[in-house]
């Protein structure tokens, strides 16, 4: 049986009397790019935050590379990373100070060399001496992605990875991530409001609606089963 990058069983999250994630059970292969889609309030960000270990589930289990996140969290965190526009880095530190700090946290070898290489790759070299708090939203997105790639994660969790980026930079980042996944045989899970982005990058789709999984499978089967040719067409016709 092949290794799973992520498995959840009956995963739920409740706040008071409101259920945000409802009995989610999924199993994802060890490599590939997987999209999590849903309308506002579907539970996408909460779902991703639980996978990051930032939010504790109310019930259910999470396994990453077949290790329990509850019991082997420290070991797992060395193999994963994340980027989200809702989680910022320390604002009074420079970009370089931030990246070096996180590189040490992730025990990255030759950390300074790695920081400068990633900064060059993701076009943020000119920002290294700037305080993180002075950056634009688009600049923060690219710096946060640098942080997320420092440890060459086997599982990369991305929440709106091209938020606030212009069209050409967004396309550059998408190509970069696709290449990263292929070179590292890694798993990437993406949540995004950008349907074109998910369609371009992901071969596998998970649909959330009010915290429940309504579809879990290949993009091809989603289109075939519903007789749609694109995610936009699917969502426009979804009632």
């Amino acid at each position: 049986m092949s290794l799973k990058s992520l498995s959840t069983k009956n995963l739920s999250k409740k706040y008071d009397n409101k259920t945000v994630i409802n009995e989610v059970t999924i199993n994802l292969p060890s490599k590939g790019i997987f999209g999590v889609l849903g309308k506002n309030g579907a539970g996408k960000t909460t779902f991703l935050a639980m996978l990051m270990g930032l939010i504790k589930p109310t019930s259910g289990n999470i396994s990453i590379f077949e290790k329990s996140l509850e019991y082997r969290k420290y070991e797992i965190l060395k193999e994963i990373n994340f980027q989200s526009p809702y989680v910022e880095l320390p604002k009074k530190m420079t970009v370089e100070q931030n990246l070096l700090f996180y590189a040490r946290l992730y025990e990255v070898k030759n950390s300074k060399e790695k920081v400068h290489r990633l900064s060059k790759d993701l076009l943020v070299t000119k920002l290294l001496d700037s305080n993180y708090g002075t950056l634009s939203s688009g600049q923060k997105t690219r710096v946060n992605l640098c942080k997320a790639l420092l440890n060459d994660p086997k599982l990369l969790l991305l929440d709106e990875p091209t938020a606030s980026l212009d069209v050409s930079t967004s396309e550059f980042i998408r190509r970069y991530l696709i290449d990263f996944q292929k070179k590292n045989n890694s798993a990437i899970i993406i949540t995004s409001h950008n349907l074109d982005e998910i369609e371009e990058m992901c071969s596998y789709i998970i649909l959330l609606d009010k915290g429940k999984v309504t579809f879990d499978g290949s993009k091809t089967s989603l289109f075939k089963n519903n007789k749609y040719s694109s995610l936009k067409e699917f969502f426009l016709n979804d009632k």
Side-chain angles (χ1 to χ4, degrees), residues 37-234:
L37 285 174
K39 297 175 182 177
N40 287 336
K44 301 185 301 295
T45 298
T46 300
F47 177 65
L48 213 62
M50 285 195 287
L51 303 186
M52 296 173 192
L54 298 176
I55 294 176
K56 188 174 181 179
T58 303
S59 60
N61 301 306
I62 300 170
S63 293
I64 295 176
F65 295 111
E66 302 183 14
K67 301 171 186 175
S68 168
L69 183 60
E70 182 179 1
Y71 298 109
R72 300 173 71 179
K73 184 175 180 179
Y74 179 73
E75 185 180 340
I76 288 168
L77 289 179
K78 291 182 177 181
E79 299 183 318
I80 72 173
N81 213 317
F82 70 92
Q83 174 266 337
S84 170
Y86 309 111
V87 180
E88 294 199 338
L89 307 184
K91 295 182 179 181
K92 293 185 179 180
M93 292 169 62
T94 67
V95 169
E96 184 171 25
Q97 287 169 339
N98 264 298
L99 294 176
L100 287 172
F101 170 77
Y102 281 97
R104 286 192 290 272
L105 196 65
Y106 290 114
E107 300 177 355
V108 175
K109 295 179 180 178
N110 303 314
S111 56
K112 194 156 189 174
E113 180 184 329
K114 186 65 172 288
V115 164
H116 282 261
R117 181 176 65 76
L118 274 175
S119 299
K120 183 179 179 181
D121 285 352
L122 293 168
L123 311 178
V124 298
T125 301
K126 292 182 179 179
L127 303 176
L128 288 175
D129 294 328
S130 301
N131 277 10
Y132 180 84
T134 67
L135 303 183
S136 69
S137 296
Q139 289 170 333
K140 286 179 180 177
T141 294
R142 283 183 284 142
V143 170
N144 292 356
L145 188 56
C146 277
K147 189 280 297 181
L149 296 173
L150 282 168
N151 60 330
D152 293 321
K154 292 181 182 178
L155 175 62
L156 179 61
L157 306 170
L158 300 175
D159 191 8
E160 304 289 346
T162 58
S164 305
L165 298 180
D166 59 49
V167 174
S168 61
T169 307
S170 295
E171 183 57 32
F172 165 75
I173 292 297
R174 285 194 286 270
R175 289 197 307 269
Y176 187 90
L177 288 169
I178 290 168
D179 288 344
F180 172 86
Q181 187 278 321
K182 288 178 180 176
K183 288 176 183 175
N184 292 274
N185 287 317
S186 58
I188 301 177
I189 299 176
I190 298 175
T191 66
S192 177
H193 287 98
N194 187 328
L195 298 180
D196 291 334
E197 179 165 277
I198 293 292
E199 192 164 335
E200 178 184 347
M201 296 182 69
C202 304
S203 58
Y204 194 100
I205 304 291
I206 296 164
L207 294 180
L208 283 177
D209 183 23
K210 298 176 183 176
K212 285 190 172 183
V213 173
T214 58
F215 179 84
D216 173 14
S218 72
K219 180 176 61 181
T220 304
S221 63
L222 175 65
F223 293 160
K224 185 178 180 180
N225 293 346
N226 293 277
K227 298 181 180 179
Y228 295 132
S229 59
S230 70
L231 287 174
K232 278 186 178 179
E233 187 181 355
F234 175 82

